[in-house]
Amino acid sequence: MSARHPRVRPFPGHRSIEGLLALACCAGFAHGAQGGGACLAFDGVDDFVRVARTALLEPEELTVELWAWIDGPQDWNTRLLRKGERDAYFLTADQDLDQRMQLLVTRGTALRVQARDPVPHVARAGAWHHFAGVWSVTNARFFVDGVQVADVAHELGALTHEPPTDLYLGAGLPVTLQNEYFAGRIDEARVWARARTSAEILSTWDRPLVGTEPGLVAYWRFDEGSGQVAHDDSAHGHDGRLGATIEMDASDPVWLAGGAPLAPFECWAVNYCASTPNSSGHAATMGFTGSLSIAANDARLHVYDAPAGHAGLFFCGREPARLAFLDGYLCISPFTPGLVRLPPVVVVDGDRHASRALDLAAPPSSVQVLPGDVWRFQFWFRDGAAGGTGANLSDGLAVRFCP
Ligand SMILES: [Ca+2]
Ligand SMILES: [Ca+2]
């Protein structure tokens, strides 16, 4: 840490991602479903949630994931999620008495692919666990708590959906009176119209989503806590109805306070793309003070070790770069969506420092900061370094914002 700026250096150890994440998690920056929210409890007799079908729920490749609290031993062919009749995909706790949580895909009445948890579902009972199934055109994979436990090569290719049906949570197809009702709780159910990677599964299994993630087509957080509708937070309109009717009825699952033990929404700020020394003898670095919360809107951008008395300008963009530019590097891609200036021009003070309120409530028109977005910030400044171009830049600062 520089002795010249002991009070305004934003993050002790801010060059370490781990340090930043630790700070973000413990300093009250993070928001989300930590220990709060709600979930749905299914009685294993007749409870279910029904989601009207759309083509978005019938992709060629797929990821389905949810948190479940399995009450105990489950019935024959107990389903936690089922979409389809003959050509179907399932997250199921059992298939023909194998007693394994699994991704099950059926094709017609004869073909079937299973990617199974190696241990019986009772070994997962009595606690929250996350289960995810991934279907690609070549493999079916299954994950428990973010870790892959099965990878099965198959020859069924892309998913098919014939005949198309609605999607059910906590049950199979209640209309056929099959014995498929789940006894336990479900939370944070997600459907993606693509095969997510292991790294992607691991990065979000225990985190709330924003809802706009690429490929996410349904996202039920079950945080309503009351009522007859489980809303789809992906904005694709896949709202679920509790039970057989929109009125209270015997097949409604029950709202429970609390839910899956999700970690806080992850937000952070981290420096990248180190610059070159300017005429001050130092390389200028970006800093950030205030909250990473968009709602708090008290963030301030800083630059340190810029040459005193020179004018400069903060700017921002979305995509990273490291392009030789002026006496240093451009750390934000100038290509689409491009760079946005953050006026006014500021003058570096005698401590080689300048700052600007970020003011997310009144940003430039081309800047809209949403939760989960990563924005990148940098500072351009005039400089009189011998043999230089007359200008240089700081390093880059990447910021992922919280709600
Ligand atoms: Ca929930
Ligand atoms: Ca109902």
Side-chain angles (χ1 to χ4, degrees):
M1 183 183 299
S2 164
R4 290 173 183 267
H5 314 294
R7 289 182 298 138
V8 292
R9 275 287 184 189
F11 292 151
H14 73 297
R15 292 169 200 285
S16 142
I17 290 177
E18 291 75 11
L20 277 164
L21 294 181
L23 188 67
C25 104
C26 304
F29 290 133
H31 298 247
Q34 186 177 26
C39 64
L40 282 175
F42 298 78
D43 64 2
V45 176
D46 57 3
D47 289 356
F48 66 93
V49 171
R50 180 174 184 161
V51 180
R53 66 158 294 277
T54 73
L56 283 175
L57 298 173
E58 295 161 0
E60 297 191 341
E61 296 192 323
L62 173 88
T63 303
V64 285
E65 54 178 322
L66 51 75
W67 280 81
W69 177 296
I70 300 170
D71 279 351
Q74 301 289 312
D75 214 337
W76 177 67
N77 285 1
T78 288
R79 314 305 191 190
L80 284 78
L81 181 151
R82 176 171 182 164
K83 170 78 176 77
E85 186 181 332
R86 292 191 302 275
D87 301 357
Y89 59 85
F90 310 69
L91 280 180
T92 186
D94 180 79
Q95 178 61 31
D96 294 343
L97 301 175
D98 68 4
Q99 301 179 24
R100 299 296 195 276
M101 283 293 299
Q102 63 193 276
L103 172 69
L104 167 69
V105 168
T106 58
R107 174 75 50 80
T109 54
L111 298 176
R112 148 191 321 171
V113 173
Q114 295 166 274
R116 295 190 285 197
D117 188 352
V119 304
H121 63 237
V122 290
R124 309 292 190 187
W128 282 107
H129 289 287
H130 178 266
F131 302 99
V134 177
W135 182 268
S136 74
V137 294
T138 59
N139 288 71
R141 296 181 293 140
F142 195 67
F143 298 75
V144 178
D145 296 337
V147 177
Q148 182 173 296
V149 295
D151 185 356
V152 178
H154 67 81
E155 296 182 343
L156 291 190
L159 289 173
T160 54
H161 307 273
E162 191 61 39
T165 71
D166 291 342
L167 183 149
Y168 290 86
L169 289 158
L173 293 176
V175 291
T176 65
L177 300 176
Q178 294 187 58
N179 202 21
E180 299 187 345
Y181 294 100
F182 172 61
R185 308 170 207 167
I186 296 178
D187 202 5
E188 283 285 315
R190 307 159 177 178
V191 181
W192 307 74
R194 64 188 184 89
R196 301 187 81 214
T197 66
S198 300
E200 288 173 327
I201 299 277
L202 190 61
S203 70
T204 61
W205 71 279
D206 61 347
R207 307 263 168 189
L209 301 178
V210 175
T212 56
E213 286 80 359
L216 183 69
V217 294
Y219 180 28
W220 301 284
R221 303 201 61 189
F222 304 122
D223 281 349
E224 290 83 354
S226 65
Q228 290 287 321
V229 178
H231 291 96
D232 174 9
D233 281 333
S234 79
H236 288 296
H238 295 123
D239 293 348
R241 183 197 70 204
L242 276 61
T245 75
I246 199 65
E247 309 297 329
M248 288 182 63
D249 66 86
S251 53
D252 290 353
V254 175
W255 295 103
L256 286 185
L262 298 185
F265 195 98
E266 189 176 272
C267 45
W268 38 258
V270 64
N271 291 74
Y272 69 102
C273 177
S275 186
T276 58
N278 54 61
S279 62
S280 78
H282 303 267
T285 57
M286 288 290 297
F288 187 96
T289 54
S291 169
L292 293 164
S293 157
I294 294 170
N297 194 30
D298 63 354
R300 194 166 188 90
L301 297 173
H302 299 264
V303 63
Y304 306 98
D305 288 333
H310 288 75
L313 184 69
F314 291 98
F315 61 99
C316 67
R318 298 299 305 274
E319 298 300 321
R322 184 173 168 84
L323 304 170
F325 185 60
L326 302 172
D327 293 351
Y329 295 97
L330 186 60
C331 301
I332 305 171
S333 171
F335 307 110
T336 306
L339 306 174
V340 180
R341 299 175 184 203
L342 299 173
V345 168
V346 293
V347 176
V348 179
D349 69 20
D351 285 333
R352 307 199 301 267
H353 168 245
S355 73
R356 178 196 191 279
L358 191 51
D359 195 6
L360 297 170
S365 59
S366 55
V367 175
Q368 184 189 14
V369 178
L370 299 174
D373 281 356
V374 175
W375 281 84
R376 295 167 192 280
F377 301 92
Q378 198 175 3
F379 187 70
W380 163 91
F381 52 90
R382 295 196 185 282
D383 191 23
T389 64
N392 200 335
L393 304 110
S394 68
D395 65 353
L397 179 77
V399 182
R400 187 170 196 254
F401 290 93
C402 273

Short mmCIF file of all heavy atoms in Angstrom, two decimals, residues 14 73 103 109 119-120 150 155 164 167 206 212 218 222 231 234 242 256 348 351 384 390 403:
data_model
loop_
_atom_site.label_atom_id
_atom_site.label_comp_id
_atom_site.label_asym_id
_atom_site.label_seq_id
_atom_site.Cartn_x
_atom_site.Cartn_y
_atom_site.Cartn_z
N HIS A 14 -5.87 -4.93 -2.77
CA HIS A 14 -6.86 -4.94 -3.84
C HIS A 14 -6.32 -5.52 -5.13
O HIS A 14 -7.02 -5.59 -6.10
CB HIS A 14 -7.40 -3.53 -4.09
CG HIS A 14 -6.44 -2.61 -4.76
ND1 HIS A 14 -5.26 -2.24 -4.18
CD2 HIS A 14 -6.49 -1.99 -5.96
CE1 HIS A 14 -4.62 -1.42 -4.98
NE2 HIS A 14 -5.33 -1.25 -6.07
N PRO A 73 -36.79 -41.81 2.03
CA PRO A 73 -36.98 -42.74 0.91
C PRO A 73 -38.16 -42.30 0.04
O PRO A 73 -39.22 -41.92 0.55
CB PRO A 73 -37.28 -44.06 1.61
CG PRO A 73 -36.62 -43.94 2.95
CD PRO A 73 -36.77 -42.50 3.33
N LEU A 103 -30.34 -37.38 -14.03
CA LEU A 103 -30.94 -36.85 -15.25
C LEU A 103 -31.36 -38.06 -16.07
O LEU A 103 -30.56 -38.94 -16.36
CB LEU A 103 -29.93 -36.01 -16.04
CG LEU A 103 -30.42 -35.57 -17.43
CD1 LEU A 103 -31.53 -34.53 -17.32
CD2 LEU A 103 -29.26 -35.02 -18.26
N THR A 109 -40.71 -45.27 -26.26
CA THR A 109 -40.94 -46.14 -25.12
C THR A 109 -39.77 -47.07 -24.84
O THR A 109 -39.74 -47.74 -23.81
CB THR A 109 -42.19 -47.01 -25.36
OG1 THR A 109 -42.02 -47.70 -26.61
CG2 THR A 109 -43.45 -46.16 -25.43
N VAL A 119 -24.61 -42.64 -5.43
CA VAL A 119 -25.10 -43.08 -4.12
C VAL A 119 -26.62 -42.97 -4.09
O VAL A 119 -27.21 -42.17 -4.80
CB VAL A 119 -24.49 -42.25 -2.96
CG1 VAL A 119 -22.97 -42.32 -3.01
CG2 VAL A 119 -24.98 -40.82 -2.98
N PRO A 120 -27.31 -43.81 -3.28
CA PRO A 120 -28.78 -43.77 -3.22
C PRO A 120 -29.29 -42.41 -2.74
O PRO A 120 -28.59 -41.72 -1.99
CB PRO A 120 -29.13 -44.87 -2.20
CG PRO A 120 -27.93 -45.74 -2.13
CD PRO A 120 -26.74 -44.87 -2.41
N ALA A 150 -21.40 -37.98 -12.80
CA ALA A 150 -21.69 -38.94 -13.87
C ALA A 150 -21.52 -38.26 -15.22
O ALA A 150 -21.85 -37.09 -15.38
CB ALA A 150 -23.12 -39.48 -13.74
N GLU A 155 -26.09 -41.87 -27.84
CA GLU A 155 -26.24 -41.74 -29.29
C GLU A 155 -27.62 -41.23 -29.67
O GLU A 155 -28.05 -41.38 -30.81
CB GLU A 155 -25.93 -43.08 -29.97
CG GLU A 155 -24.48 -43.50 -29.76
CD GLU A 155 -24.12 -44.80 -30.46
OE1 GLU A 155 -25.06 -45.53 -30.84
OE2 GLU A 155 -22.93 -45.07 -30.63
N PRO A 164 -45.41 -32.94 -27.26
CA PRO A 164 -45.07 -31.90 -26.29
C PRO A 164 -46.07 -31.88 -25.13
O PRO A 164 -47.26 -32.11 -25.32
CB PRO A 164 -45.16 -30.61 -27.12
CG PRO A 164 -46.02 -30.94 -28.28
CD PRO A 164 -45.86 -32.40 -28.55
N LEU A 167 -44.61 -28.70 -18.32
CA LEU A 167 -43.53 -29.09 -17.42
C LEU A 167 -44.09 -29.17 -16.00
O LEU A 167 -44.88 -28.31 -15.58
CB LEU A 167 -42.40 -28.06 -17.50
CG LEU A 167 -41.13 -28.32 -16.67
CD1 LEU A 167 -39.91 -27.73 -17.38
CD2 LEU A 167 -41.23 -27.73 -15.26
N ASP A 206 -24.48 -22.38 -6.26
CA ASP A 206 -24.85 -21.92 -4.92
C ASP A 206 -25.01 -20.40 -4.87
O ASP A 206 -24.88 -19.80 -3.81
CB ASP A 206 -23.79 -22.38 -3.91
CG ASP A 206 -22.41 -21.81 -4.22
OD1 ASP A 206 -22.21 -21.28 -5.33
OD2 ASP A 206 -21.54 -21.89 -3.34
N THR A 212 -30.94 -12.87 -16.46
CA THR A 212 -30.68 -12.55 -17.86
C THR A 212 -29.50 -13.33 -18.42
O THR A 212 -29.02 -13.04 -19.51
CB THR A 212 -30.38 -11.05 -18.01
OG1 THR A 212 -29.28 -10.70 -17.15
CG2 THR A 212 -31.59 -10.22 -17.62
N ALA A 218 -35.86 -20.47 -17.92
CA ALA A 218 -36.84 -20.49 -16.82
C ALA A 218 -36.06 -20.47 -15.51
O ALA A 218 -35.02 -21.14 -15.39
CB ALA A 218 -37.73 -21.71 -16.89
N PHE A 222 -38.94 -19.33 -6.12
CA PHE A 222 -39.89 -19.74 -5.06
C PHE A 222 -39.74 -18.86 -3.83
O PHE A 222 -39.79 -19.35 -2.69
CB PHE A 222 -39.71 -21.22 -4.70
CG PHE A 222 -39.84 -22.15 -5.87
CD1 PHE A 222 -38.80 -23.00 -6.22
CD2 PHE A 222 -41.00 -22.17 -6.64
CE1 PHE A 222 -38.92 -23.86 -7.30
CE2 PHE A 222 -41.11 -23.02 -7.72
CZ PHE A 222 -40.08 -23.87 -8.06
N HIS A 231 -43.38 -17.50 -9.81
CA HIS A 231 -43.03 -16.68 -10.96
C HIS A 231 -41.69 -17.08 -11.57
O HIS A 231 -40.76 -17.51 -10.87
CB HIS A 231 -42.99 -15.20 -10.55
CG HIS A 231 -44.34 -14.65 -10.24
ND1 HIS A 231 -44.83 -14.59 -8.95
CD2 HIS A 231 -45.32 -14.16 -11.05
CE1 HIS A 231 -46.07 -14.08 -8.98
NE2 HIS A 231 -46.38 -13.82 -10.24
N SER A 234 -36.80 -15.39 -15.09
CA SER A 234 -35.98 -15.22 -16.29
C SER A 234 -36.65 -14.28 -17.29
O SER A 234 -36.11 -14.03 -18.35
CB SER A 234 -35.74 -16.57 -16.98
OG SER A 234 -36.87 -16.95 -17.74
N LEU A 242 -49.59 -23.49 -8.81
CA LEU A 242 -49.58 -24.50 -7.74
C LEU A 242 -50.83 -25.36 -7.83
O LEU A 242 -51.96 -24.85 -7.80
CB LEU A 242 -49.51 -23.83 -6.37
CG LEU A 242 -48.11 -23.42 -5.85
CD1 LEU A 242 -47.45 -22.42 -6.76
CD2 LEU A 242 -48.19 -22.90 -4.43
N LEU A 256 -42.75 -22.58 2.31
CA LEU A 256 -41.99 -22.60 3.55
C LEU A 256 -41.03 -21.42 3.56
O LEU A 256 -40.39 -21.13 2.54
CB LEU A 256 -41.16 -23.88 3.68
CG LEU A 256 -41.86 -25.20 4.00
CD1 LEU A 256 -40.80 -26.28 4.19
CD2 LEU A 256 -42.71 -25.07 5.26
N VAL A 348 -5.55 16.25 -11.96
CA VAL A 348 -4.86 15.44 -10.95
C VAL A 348 -4.28 16.36 -9.87
O VAL A 348 -3.61 17.35 -10.19
CB VAL A 348 -3.75 14.60 -11.61
CG1 VAL A 348 -3.02 13.76 -10.55
CG2 VAL A 348 -4.34 13.71 -12.70
N ASP A 351 -1.39 15.22 -4.73
CA ASP A 351 -1.11 13.86 -4.23
C ASP A 351 -1.21 12.82 -5.35
O ASP A 351 -1.33 11.61 -5.07
CB ASP A 351 -2.10 13.49 -3.11
CG ASP A 351 -1.76 14.19 -1.82
OD1 ASP A 351 -0.58 14.51 -1.62
OD2 ASP A 351 -2.70 14.43 -1.02
N GLY A 384 3.64 14.63 -19.46
CA GLY A 384 4.81 15.23 -20.12
C GLY A 384 6.03 14.35 -20.08
O GLY A 384 7.15 14.85 -20.03
N GLY A 390 2.61 12.44 -24.99
CA GLY A 390 1.88 13.53 -24.36
C GLY A 390 0.67 13.06 -23.59
O GLY A 390 -0.07 13.88 -23.03
N PRO A 403 -27.23 -5.92 -6.89
CA PRO A 403 -28.50 -5.19 -6.97
C PRO A 403 -28.51 -3.93 -6.09
O PRO A 403 -27.74 -3.85 -5.15
CB PRO A 403 -29.52 -6.20 -6.46
CG PRO A 403 -28.89 -7.52 -6.73
CD PRO A 403 -27.42 -7.32 -6.53
#
